[in-house]
Amino acid sequence: MTAQLIDGKAFAAGLRARVAQRTAALRDAHGVVPGLAVVLVGEDPASQVYVGSKEREARAAGFHSVVHRLPAGTSEEALLDLVATLNADPLIHGILVQLPLPAGIDENRVLLAIDPDKDVDGFHPVNVGRLALGQPAPVPCTPRGCLMLLKETLGDLTGREALVIGRSAIVGKPMALLLLAANATVTIAHSRTRDLAEVCRRADIVVVAVGRPGFVPGAWLKPGAVVIDVGINRLPPAPGEAKGRLVGDVDFDSAFQVAGALTPVPGGVGPMTIACLLDNTLEACLAAKGLAGAF
Ligand code: NDP
């Protein structure tokens, strides 16, 4: 038997549609429109693509969507001033500063300056702390999307053996905290983990966020495991190709023969990230208006 494919693209489209419906209902009932401000500093091509998609999807959901495109030479103080203006803007409920920032700007200082209640990326230390304590908080979009796909596939995660490979602040650590909050038994692996193949074979759930193409082979997986591949890696172009193929951190072909369910790359976790950003922004807007849970 081969794995079920977890269709993140379809799930994300459904989530975006639900956000758009709730946004319309909120606007009709209260005249309130969720506002998302995205700040991009510099000309990093990948960041430009991500920011363009965020702007487009926010508009499509019916949001007030603003993008501040600043030149690469912008000073840290100027960026902090912009963040302060956005913090004070009553029409803006979510602020996202696209990372990475150019060299010379202290990323931590900028993230710390964002009002935690408008921090729709969930990277502010206050929100990291809230997540660790099990308190309500905006949760980083990519791991939140992974959790949604896991619940959609497995239902209740209570008591499942979950392995997260990778311990970054953006994906691995918040993923582990979310799985813990969902009552899974969680192991976090990283570059110093011994005998990763053995650790992997015990897991009912494997979330891979390493950044190495095809890192996890099917031979490491427990038969029937549910595998979430967060990795986005571009291979060098094959002869005749303009651009190389996008692949994940899991060796798809061998994993497909062993796993119970598996996210493809592209079309798995990737589309969930922006859909969760929209949902986080709507939630931040509802909380700001004292309407949490009402729509
Ligand atoms: P980081 O580089 O920040 O973290 C990678 C993690 O992998 C580190 O914790 C590192 O361990 C671990 N690692 C590296 N080598 C090994 C190894 N040999 N064995 C076990 N663990 C190892 O990456 P991110 O978390 O930011 O991203 C991971 C991947 O996910 C990337 O491909 C990225 O493009 C993708 N991504 C996709 C997103 C989406 O929207 N779908 C969003 C964000 C990321 P150590 O800490 O010990 O160094």
Side-chain angles (χ1 to χ4, degrees), residues 53-202:
S53 307
K54 287 167 187 173
E55 183 179 24
R56 207 171 41 250
E57 297 298 347
R59 293 237 162 91
F63 287 9
H64 167 54
S65 167
V66 188
V67 177
H68 294 269
R69 291 185 169 82
L70 308 180
T74 301
S75 70
E76 189 173 304
E77 294 312 317
L79 182 54
L80 290 171
D81 281 350
L82 174 59
V83 169
T85 304
L86 295 171
N87 282 342
D89 186 340
L91 298 180
I92 295 297
H93 309 98
I95 303 170
L96 184 153
V97 177
Q98 185 68 42
L99 303 178
L101 289 168
I105 298 185
D106 181 349
E107 220 158 81
N108 288 327
R109 205 169 157 221
V110 175
L111 292 181
L112 206 56
I114 297 173
D115 177 347
D117 293 334
K118 294 190 177 187
D119 165 41
V120 282
D121 248 346
F123 295 161
H124 192 290
V126 164
N127 288 326
V128 177
R130 286 173 175 161
L131 177 61
L133 292 169
Q135 296 172 359
V139 174
C141 301
T142 300
R144 185 163 177 236
C146 294
L147 187 76
M148 285 182 184
L149 294 179
L150 282 168
K151 286 190 168 168
E152 169 77 4
T153 308
L154 285 168
D156 189 5
L157 306 184
T158 299
R160 307 262 187 183
E161 289 276 351
L163 170 66
V164 180
I165 312 182
R167 56 175 165 179
S168 71
I170 294 173
V171 188
K173 277 184 195 154
M175 186 73 245
L177 288 169
L178 285 172
L179 287 163
L180 191 61
N183 298 319
T185 301
V186 184
T187 303
I188 307 173
H190 45 79
S191 65
R192 310 295 177 88
T193 298
R194 280 195 214 142
D195 210 352
L196 183 52
E198 247 343 282
V199 176
C200 203
R201 260 181 224 113
R202 293 198 299 263

Side-chain angles (χ1 to χ4, degrees), residues 142 166-168 171 190-191 209-212 215 230-233 269-270 273:
T142 300
R167 56 175 165 179
S168 71
V171 188
H190 45 79
S191 65
V210 169
R212 294 185 175 207
F215 178 70
V230 184
I232 302 179
N233 310 287
V269 173
T273 299

Side-chain angles (χ1 to χ4, degrees), residues 34-58:
L36 174 65
V38 178
V39 181
L40 172 64
V41 187
E43 271 101 44
D44 178 63
S47 293
Q48 285 180 341
V49 173
Y50 295 144
V51 167
S53 307
K54 287 167 187 173
E55 183 179 24
R56 207 171 41 250
E57 297 298 347

